[in-house]
Amino acid sequence: MTEAVAQRRRTLRGSWQSMEAAEDEPGSSTDTEQLRLALRDYRELAERLLHV
């Protein structure tokens, strides 16, 4: 269970960091849909942990 949660966290963090890197590129803006999906994934993970 711990390893599964850690892997999910790494996946979520990686997607968040790739969005931040894209934001730093000239002429690029963060896609609000990607941010919404990342936040949804974090919320889903938190809800799963609370129900364990």
Side-chain angles (χ1 to χ4, degrees), residues 23-39:
E23 186 178 70
D24 292 339
E25 294 176 10
S28 177
S29 64
T30 301
D31 184 6
T32 56
E33 179 64 10
Q34 287 180 328
L35 291 173
R36 185 187 71 77
L37 292 173
L39 289 172

Side-chain angles (χ1 to χ4, degrees), residues 3-37:
E3 183 57 36
V5 170
Q7 178 59 39
R8 183 68 177 148
R9 182 175 173 254
R10 285 190 293 270
T11 301
L12 291 171
R13 182 166 290 214
S15 67
W16 184 266
Q17 289 174 339
S18 68
M19 285 186 284
E20 286 179 343
E23 186 178 70
D24 292 339
E25 294 176 10
S28 177
S29 64
T30 301
D31 184 6
T32 56
E33 179 64 10
Q34 287 180 328
L35 291 173
R36 185 187 71 77
L37 292 173

Side-chain angles (χ1 to χ4, degrees), residues 1-10 44-52:
M1 165 92 171
T2 303
E3 183 57 36
V5 170
Q7 178 59 39
R8 183 68 177 148
R9 182 175 173 254
R10 285 190 293 270
E44 180 181 307
L45 177 60
E47 288 173 356
R48 285 182 182 181
L49 290 173
L50 291 173
H51 287 89
V52 170

